[in-house]
Amino acid sequence: MWTRSATSDYTQALVDAYNDSHENQVELTVVPFDAYQQKVASAAGAGQLPDIVSSDVVFTPDYVTKGLFRDLTAEIDALPFADDLAEGHIAVGTSTDGKKYAVPHDIDLSAVFYNKVLFEKAGLDPDSPPTDLAGWFEAAKAIDGVEGADGFYFGGNCGGCMLFTTWPSIWADGGEVLNDDGTEAELDTDTAGSVYDQYRTAWEDGLAPEAAQTETGATFGTAFTEGKIGWQILGAAGYGSFPKNDTLDVGIAPVPGIDGGESTFLGGDTLSIASTSDKAAAAWDFLSWTIGDEAQIDVVAKSGALPSRTDLADNEYSEADPNVAELSRLVSVGQTPVSAAFGSTFNDANGPWTAYVRNQVFGDASERGADNDAISAALSQ
């Protein structure tokens, strides 16, 4: 089995627990994050993929389209909890003809992380956070300057950060970001324009530090960790790394739209069986075990990670922490965009998506239509 280094701790815990309780054994190889896509592509071309492949959800549709994985439709549909599996992860592993090639694995999702300490110092009620995007920017305005803090933070030069954090607001308002088959962008809409106009106004009002404009993702959560930021949309996977002290006490809320609502970008990894595997039955035994009750509760939830089944969101571990309970609940409202060209279009630092978002927040917002067309051109290649 291969997994990328960014999520290897999660995968290793499941592999260790499985190997401790099964005669069938899984050998895990951790591949450096930056080399993973090239290694998978090279191995696929040579017919040398491992039996089990973990893949970032944004790359899973490309692998499905290229025929790298075994059809698991019958096995997945036969699961008693098939309808409770994270919908976004199932969607990215489903081909255009409805066949299923992947199961959910590591779950990450975006949510508003806010600093209750700064909320209280600004005269805001930390137990009653805003429920629409305008309310969050009003909170940022109240917090900005309190003991040197900034109101909010975002990754202004990080394409991946910006789609992970801003697309949920578009979805919460009923908008879309891509068409159904992922070949065209739908970001030239009033809904999308209104969301980015809120960010632009807040930036021009000085509610975020100057570092946000050049933030590439390298220091994305640093200032929030130091208790210097009122709120920031971050990934659930990092929740356990935030301390609780005199300057930081984290609260969690869903990402809202202009008119309220709630959504989240459902990221993470899926698991698939290589189409060339001659150990498919043994591989499925592992895959199905990872999403069963025992693994999801005694390994995943116990470690503080999020179950990939919505019917297990309420469990003894989430009940112990309201923030974990809220993050677990958000799996049921998450979306994952599906496009075979997603990675090449949206993860390119010099690509059309980065140009779109920088124009919308910092540059010429009237370029929205032209930038949207450039994204569509990249998606259709």
Side-chain angles (χ1 to χ4, degrees), residues 166-189:
T166 63
W167 285 5
S169 290
I170 298 172
W171 291 327
D173 280 333
E176 299 292 344
V177 296
L178 304 178
N179 65 350
D180 289 342
D181 62 6
T183 57
E184 294 181 4
E186 296 189 355
L187 292 160
D188 185 21
T189 63

Side-chain angles (χ1 to χ4, degrees), residues 236-287:
Y239 170 67
S241 67
F242 293 111
K244 182 176 181 180
N245 50 43
D246 292 342
T247 60
L248 179 65
D249 182 8
V250 176
I252 298 289
V255 181
I258 299 293
D259 298 322
E262 61 180 15
S263 189
T264 180
F265 190 112
L266 194 58
D269 292 352
T270 58
L271 285 186
S272 299
I273 300 174
S275 57
T276 52
S277 173
D278 58 2
K279 301 182 179 67
W284 175 250
D285 188 73
F286 174 69
L287 262 64

Side-chain angles (χ1 to χ4, degrees), residues 13 17 29 70 91 118 120 129 133 155 177 182 184 187 204 230-231 251 268 271 287 301 324 330 351 367 374 376:
T29 298
R70 182 185 183 87
L118 290 175
E120 288 185 342
L133 200 56
V177 296
E184 294 181 4
L187 292 160
E204 291 176 347
W231 64 268
L271 285 186
L287 262 64
V324 174
L330 291 176
E367 291 294 314
S376 293

Side-chain angles (χ1 to χ4, degrees), residues 212-224:
Q213 187 172 20
T214 56
E215 174 62 66
T216 62
T219 58
F220 191 50
T222 301
F224 184 83

